[in-house]
Amino acid sequence: MSVDVVVGLQWGDEGKGKISYVLSRGAEAVARFQGGANAGHTVKIGETRYKFNMLPAGCLAGPRPVIASGCLLDPEAFEKELQLLQTSGHRHQPLVSMGAHIVLPMHRELDGRLESLRGSSAVGTTRRGIGPAYADKMLRVGIRVGDLLSRRSLGEKVEFLRRLHGVEPGVDFEKLEKLLRPFAGNVQGFLNEVVESGGRVLLEGAQGTLLDIDHGTYPYVTSSNTISANGFVSTGLPISRKGQIIGVTKAYTTRVGAGPFPTEITGPTAETIREKGGEYGTTTGRPRRIGWLDIPALRYACMVNGVDTVAVTKSDVLSGLPTVKACVRYVVDGVETNCFGDFLHRLDEVQPVYEEFRGWSVDEDGLRRAVEKGWDELPPNLREYLEWLEKQLRVNISIASVGEEASLTVTRR
Ligand code: IMP
C-alpha cells in the first residue's frame, strides 16, 4: 500500500487535525514528521474535544501513532497526551523514533530570549523551544531519544550544551529515560514493514506550507520543512511509496505570529470570523490574524507540495456574510501578477486584487443534509465558491469540512 500525506496549504491552523482523523480511518499508522509541541491539532468527536500538540491527531481513528525522526519530542506534552490516549480508549502504544531530538526547558528559555532580543522584529514564536532545539540538531549537539537510552556519553553531551548556551538544561534525564524507554523504537523499519505488508500509512503535517523554513515567508516561519516531501525524509519511507498528497485550506486565511499577510483584514468582518471560527491559537491562545483566501499563495502551496486533492475547511464560519472575497492576483510596482513565488521575498509590498462572491447561509440541519446526501446539497453559493476555487487551483476538492465535529464532513463522490 502507499503513503498519503496531509499538509497545510496556508500558515497553519487549516484544520489538518480533523482531516487527518477522517483520512486515518483504516490506516495502520499515522505519523507526525516535523515540528514539536508548537502544533495544535484538535478533533471534536461527538461532544468531546481532543487537543494534541505532540502526537498525530489522526491516531484517534485507530492507527498507531508515530513520532518520526524529523520531529522534536517535547516530553511534557508527550506525557500529557499519553493520558489523553488512555481516556480515549486507544489500543496502540505510540512509537517514537530514536532519532527524534528532545526539546529541553533550556530550549524554551532560549526561544524566549531570542524573541526578546529581536524586539520589534520578533517572529512571534510559540516559545516552545522549536528554533533552538532544531539549531542544536543542526550543530550536531542535540540530545536524541536514542542518546537517553544508550546513556553513552550523555553526561558529556549535557555538559557541552550547558557550556554552549550558559543555561541549565532543566530536566531530570533519568526520569526522561523512564518515560520514553517503552515507546522508543525503529520508526523507519516499522513504517516500511507496514507498507510492504499492505498497510496504509498517513503522514500528518504540522504548521503550513507558508511557514516552511525553505519555501515559506522567511524569517517569519517555523524551523522545519512543513511540505509533503519532508514526510518521506523524516520517516525514512521512500518516495516511491507516495500515494495521495492531500492539501488542507480554510475557506479564508489566518496567521498567528508576525510576518507579511497580503489579504489580511481588520474591523467588524474580521472580528465576526475570529469569534465564529474560534480563531485563537490552540497552543498559545493568541488571537489569529484574519484574511480572505489568497489564490496565488494557494496555487504556490499546491505546486510545492504536489497536491493531488484539496480539503476545504470552515466554510460554515463564513455563513451569513453578505459577500465573500478571494484575492486572485497582486499588484506590485504598478504591475499585476499572479505569481506568488516571484514575490515571496517582498510580500509586504504586494497589494491584493479581489474577486467578490455572493455569501451563503447554512444551519445545522442543512449541513447534516449535505453530509448525508452529498456535495449537491451544499448551499448553491457555497458550491459555486468551492467549484470556482477548484478551477483556480486546477486541483479537485474532495472534502468540504462544514463544522468542527468530525462527522460534519462532506466527501465528494
Ligand atoms: P515556532 O514554530 O514556535 O518557532 O514559531 C514560528 C512561527 O510559526 C510563529 O509565527 C508561530 O506563530 C508559527 N507557528 C508555529 N506553529 C504553528 C501552528 O501550529 N499553527 C500556526 N502557526 C504556527
Side-chain angles (χ1 to χ4, degrees), residues 278-299:
E279 298 296 357
Y280 294 88
T282 318
T283 310
T284 58
R286 290 178 290 177
R288 294 179 187 144
R289 297 155 68 191
I290 309 286
W292 297 118
L293 211 56
D294 184 334
I295 300 295
L298 278 180
R299 237 192 249 132

Side-chain angles (χ1 to χ4, degrees), residues 62-113:
R64 184 174 189 188
V66 174
I67 294 181
S69 176
C71 291
L72 298 177
L73 187 96
D74 187 306
E76 257 175 55
F78 180 71
E79 197 170 11
K80 256 194 226 147
E81 288 169 30
L82 288 177
Q83 283 163 13
L84 184 62
L85 271 195
Q86 258 179 2
T87 53
S88 75
H90 190 81
R91 65 193 167 91
H92 292 297
Q93 170 119 317
L95 176 65
V96 179
S97 172
M98 298 276 198
H101 280 244
I102 297 171
V103 180
L104 301 169
M106 150 196 277
H107 294 123
R108 293 197 193 172
E109 193 180 330
L110 290 169
D111 198 355
R113 274 212 225 158

Side-chain angles (χ1 to χ4, degrees), residues 9 209 297-307 310 393 395:
L9 299 178
T209 303
L298 278 180
R299 237 192 249 132
Y300 168 85
C302 286
M303 175 183 77
V304 296
N305 284 292
V307 167
V310 168
L393 301 183
V395 182

Side-chain angles (χ1 to χ4, degrees), residues 11-13 38-41 111 123-128 130-131 206-207 211 220-223 255-258 283 286:
W11 280 286
D13 308 315
N38 51 345
H41 293 180
D111 198 355
V123 173
T125 73
T126 59
R127 301 196 175 219
R128 294 292 168 111
I130 303 300
Q207 290 82 50
L211 289 171
Y220 300 100
V221 292
T222 192
S223 298
R255 173 163 207 175
V256 60
T283 310
R286 290 178 290 177

